[in-house]
Amino acid sequence: MDKLDWKIVAALERDGRQSYADLGEQVGLSKSPCWSRVKNLEESGVIDGYAARLDPIAIGLAVQSFVEVQIRFDAHIEFEAAVLAHPAVVECHTTAGESDYLLKIFARSADHLDELLRHNLSKLPGVQRLKTVVCLKTIKRHGDLAEWARTTEGRDRAN
């Protein structure tokens, strides 16, 4: 990616709904070259989609939690399939350490969270243990990945 590509993805990360003309004006390109670059970024997988950001509290999901999950060694495939199909799980990550996975979930209330944990998530395939951390307040939800990636480009990623 060159400097223009970084400018484009940073601008789209801030506002993915802007027109190609507005985007081009921000990065110093006319509409057609800007459109071509965006298409190339989409085709290469740098841009993997566009979506509205929803405020969980505004839609009634006031309790955000992170759930560490330990599963049986032979249940990874079934567990991952179940997580992909589960609407309460908005993110799932494999982890190193005591837990196998880290889930991000939202619930309407503490009672709703309790119900999800006891009667739902604990029954996913292979689950042996859940450890839940309830988020009291979100300080930062959406960071600027483009700017961070640009400033670290070329550094040894192993360090």
Side-chain angles (χ1 to χ4, degrees):
M1 288 187 25
D2 64 16
K3 286 182 180 184
L4 278 174
D5 288 335
W6 284 116
K7 286 181 180 181
I8 289 169
V9 295
L12 286 172
E13 192 173 34
R14 285 188 303 275
D15 179 6
R17 294 182 57 171
Q18 61 188 305
S19 70
Y20 290 115
D22 290 343
L23 178 60
E25 188 175 311
Q26 286 181 57
V27 301
L29 291 173
S30 63
K31 183 178 173 180
S32 289
C34 185
W35 177 84
S36 294
R37 282 182 174 260
V38 170
K39 290 299 168 203
N40 287 338
L41 291 165
E42 291 170 349
E43 290 170 5
S44 69
V46 171
I47 297 172
D48 72 357
Y50 301 89
R53 292 183 190 164
L54 303 180
D55 180 338
I57 294 169
I59 59 172
L61 298 171
V63 179
Q64 175 179 294
S65 299
F66 297 93
V67 182
E68 294 180 20
V69 183
Q70 288 180 349
I71 67 165
R72 284 191 333 266
F73 181 76
D74 63 344
H76 289 275
I77 293 170
E78 295 85 358
F79 175 81
E80 290 177 12
V83 163
L84 287 169
H86 200 293
V89 178
V90 296
E91 292 182 18
C92 176
H93 308 273
T94 58
T95 59
E98 285 186 35
S99 298
D100 299 303
Y101 295 92
L102 179 66
L103 309 179
K104 180 179 177 182
I105 65 170
F106 287 92
R108 295 194 173 279
S109 64
D111 287 341
H112 185 219
L113 175 61
D114 183 59
E115 179 184 321
L116 278 170
L117 293 170
R118 289 178 189 240
H119 305 293
N120 205 297
L121 296 177
S122 65
K123 296 181 180 181
L124 293 177
V127 170
Q128 293 182 315
R129 182 173 176 266
L130 299 176
K131 179 180 174 188
T132 305
V133 176
V134 176
C135 177
L136 298 177
K137 179 180 178 183
T138 299
I139 307 302
K140 181 178 183 179
R141 178 167 282 125
H142 303 286
D144 296 329
L145 281 179
E147 182 59 22
W148 174 240
R150 184 191 62 76
T151 60
T152 60
E153 187 178 35
R155 293 187 185 172
D156 181 5
R157 286 170 176 80
N159 291 330

